[in-house]
Amino acid sequence: RFDIKAPYKQLQVRNLKLSDAGIYTCEYGSHKVHTSLHIFQLTLSMNGHFLQNEAPELILMQNSSGPLPELSITLFDSSNNRVTAELQNKNRQKYIVSLKKLKAVDSGTWVCQVHSDSSLINRNISFAVKVLGFQNPDLERKYATVDSTVILSWHLNSQKIKWKEDFTGQLNWKQQEGANTHELLDFNITAQGQLHETKKSSSFVFEIPERKPESTIEVKLPKVHFNHSGQYQCQLEYQGRHAQSKIELVVMKVSANPSGPLSRGANVTLTCQVSGLLPPSAYLRWERVNGTQMEGKNSKQQEAKLEVNISAAGLWSCHLIEDSDRKISLHYHVEEAPVWINYVIIGASVGGSLLAFALGCLCIISGVSWQRRRQRAKRMAQARQYLLENKTCQCQQ
């Protein structure tokens, strides 16, 4: 590992080790020149290969021929931002520094700045950090309406950071926390970046799109049902360690009761419902298209169901609004009953009223007639009894 480079008689030491620290002397005749070599060694846990949300540990060691100086350590990430780190061990020879949990965007070249006032040390040591993970947000929420088409995508950064190791993963779905988990597909990505997927579920209707960017996991729901909502979690595994990313699918549906045409003077109840609880800043709103402000109605925050009673036909819309932004809208057209139906309804109402009146009169007449017959029969019975009593008296005489 040691070479003399001519013509300047330079001593070259390759692959430095901590034990190479010390005093080096160059002798030329009666002349001697001394040079002190101070060596730093920086190592990173997991060989610098991490999954997202893992917290790395950095070890900095130093060796010198003289007393070891006290060092101050400052870290900068790949974006040249200063990183908050916690010093776990400090005994001048070995410094152990714990870093924050990493994200996929933290991949790149980091810098460890080593400084000492006593020995005039000011050294920048570069080191590579590779974080395998998802470029999606930590918790992504996607909204859809019933019968629409939805594509759920998870973007891995393995190609971007040139990850040279195989890793596997799977995609699971469950409707809510605590519910049974359904495995939708398995996948593995080779060191060359090739993606292979295997469909696992036969009961859940979904597709795997054929054309997609490399290192992108996609699931297509061609016709969303209300019960397709829930949590879709993509999980990858590398050397027994796991990282995951979750997409929450929220589905909206609308309905009317009664569902038929709206006749004049009648009311209909429109119901807008979403699956699961909404975030704190989200709410539902019913409003009539081209209608007035007074015809609109808002739900309470995080309320997953909103009903509105209406008497005006036309196009009504239910909006899901989050942070003043309309995420999805679903329309419902309330048809107005034709004029002849209104006449039929009016005629039926009038006819029904007349029929009821006639039936009432008939009942009254029948009652009066029955009452008269009853009174007549009663009088005849009394007269018969009277005659019988008189006849008996005459016989006794």
Side-chain angles (χ1 to χ4, degrees):
R1 296 187 296 119
F2 298 85
D3 289 325
I4 301 293
K5 293 183 65 176
Y8 300 106
K9 300 297 185 291
Q10 293 176 333
L11 175 64
Q12 185 180 59
V13 184
R14 297 186 301 273
N15 300 325
L16 283 173
K17 301 177 181 179
L18 279 175
S19 57
D20 293 331
I23 297 177
Y24 290 77
T25 303
C26 178
E27 296 184 0
Y28 181 73
S30 60
H31 300 281
K32 293 183 180 181
V33 178
H34 305 284
T35 299
S36 177
L37 181 61
H38 192 126
I39 296 180
F40 297 97
Q41 182 185 53
L42 188 147
T43 57
L44 204 57
S45 59
M46 307 293 183
N47 293 321
H49 288 65
F50 304 96
L51 298 181
Q52 66 182 59
N53 292 324
E54 289 184 336
E57 191 177 74
L58 183 144
I59 300 176
L60 179 68
M61 301 185 68
Q62 65 172 335
N63 193 15
S64 176
S65 58
L68 296 176
E70 183 176 350
L71 304 176
S72 64
I73 299 174
T74 307
L75 297 176
F76 298 89
D77 62 15
S78 56
S79 301
N80 202 31
N81 297 318
R82 186 167 179 169
V83 177
T84 302
E86 184 177 354
L87 189 61
Q88 299 289 347
N89 182 66
K90 174 183 172 183
N91 62 6
R92 295 206 175 186
Q93 182 180 12
K94 184 178 183 180
Y95 295 78
I96 300 177
V97 181
S98 295
L99 280 69
K100 63 175 184 178
K101 290 184 178 180
L102 297 175
K103 299 179 180 178
V105 294
D106 291 327
S107 296
T109 301
W110 289 44
V111 173
C112 177
Q113 187 179 80
V114 183
H115 179 77
S116 176
D117 293 330
S118 59
S119 300
L120 300 179
I121 295 174
N122 193 12
R123 185 78 179 179
N124 290 337
I125 305 174
S126 301
F127 59 98
V129 175
K130 289 189 175 183
V131 185
L132 178 63
F134 300 91
Q135 295 173 270
N136 301 55
D138 290 338
L139 176 59
E140 187 176 355
R141 186 174 287 105
K142 198 172 185 69
Y143 297 104
T145 57
V146 169
D147 293 333
S148 65
T149 298
V150 173
I151 295 181
L152 306 177
S153 301
W154 288 264
H155 306 283
L156 290 166
N157 66 339
S158 57
Q159 290 290 324
K160 185 176 181 180
I161 63 175
K162 298 180 181 179
W163 193 270
K164 295 183 179 181
E165 302 287 340
D166 297 355
F167 59 92
T168 62
Q170 61 181 214
L171 176 62
N172 302 318
W173 165 70
K174 59 182 177 180
Q175 283 197 277
Q176 57 189 2
E177 288 291 347
N180 294 331
T181 300
H182 305 275
E183 186 178 351
L184 302 185
L185 63 89
D186 286 344
F187 65 88
N188 69 287
I189 298 183
T190 65
Q192 291 74 33
Q194 296 177 335
L195 173 63
H196 302 282
E197 297 168 315
T198 304
K199 193 172 181 179
K200 302 290 289 185
S201 175
S202 58
S203 58
F204 190 83
V205 180
F206 71 97
E207 300 174 6
I208 303 175
E210 294 182 0
R211 294 184 179 181
K212 53 183 174 290
E214 294 180 340
S215 300
T216 298
I217 313 299
E218 285 187 352
V219 164
K220 179 181 179 181
L221 306 180
K223 196 171 184 180
V224 176
H225 296 168
F226 194 69
N227 58 0
H228 286 168
S229 60
Q231 301 171 0
Y232 292 79
Q233 179 174 279
C234 191
Q235 182 182 79
L236 62 89
E237 179 180 354
Y238 172 70
Q239 293 184 351
R241 293 136 56 197
H242 298 83
Q244 53 274 329
S245 176
K246 184 187 301 181
I247 295 179
E248 181 83 18
L249 180 62
V250 180
V251 182
M252 173 192 284
K253 67 177 181 179
V254 296
S255 60
N257 184 28
S259 58
L262 179 63
S263 58
R264 185 178 301 173
N267 290 338
V268 64
T269 300
L270 299 180
T271 302
C272 180
Q273 187 175 359
V274 294
S275 56
L277 292 176
L278 295 175
S281 58
Y283 62 94
L284 300 174
R285 175 172 174 79
W286 268 117
E287 64 183 18
R288 186 185 180 194
V289 178
N290 297 327
T292 64
Q293 187 71 20
M294 297 297 295
E295 291 178 302
K297 182 180 179 181
N298 295 345
S299 70
K300 298 178 181 179
Q301 287 188 340
Q302 293 187 287
E303 195 172 38
K305 185 177 181 180
L306 176 62
E307 293 182 346
V308 59
N309 292 319
I310 65 168
S311 58
L315 186 62
W316 290 77
S317 295
C318 181
H319 308 292
L320 195 158
I321 302 173
E322 182 179 1
D323 296 325
S324 301
D325 182 25
R326 289 185 180 181
K327 296 297 183 180
I328 50 173
S329 298
L330 192 56
H331 306 298
Y332 191 92
H333 187 257
V334 180
E335 296 182 357
E336 186 175 7
V339 176
W340 65 269
I341 292 183
N342 289 326
Y343 290 151
V344 168
I345 294 175
I346 295 172
S349 300
V350 173
S353 299
L354 292 176
L355 180 60
F357 178 74
L359 290 174
C361 292
L362 183 61
C363 290
I364 293 172
I365 294 171
S366 298
V368 171
S369 178
W370 177 78
Q371 183 70 19
R372 287 177 177 175
R373 287 196 301 269
R374 184 179 177 186
Q375 289 177 354
R376 187 182 299 115
K378 185 177 180 180
R379 287 196 299 269
M380 290 178 66
Q382 289 176 350
R384 191 181 297 111
Q385 182 68 26
Y386 175 76
L387 291 174
L388 289 174
E389 289 177 355
N390 289 338
K391 186 177 181 181
T392 302
C393 293
Q394 291 174 1
C395 290
Q396 289 177 353
Q397 291 175 354

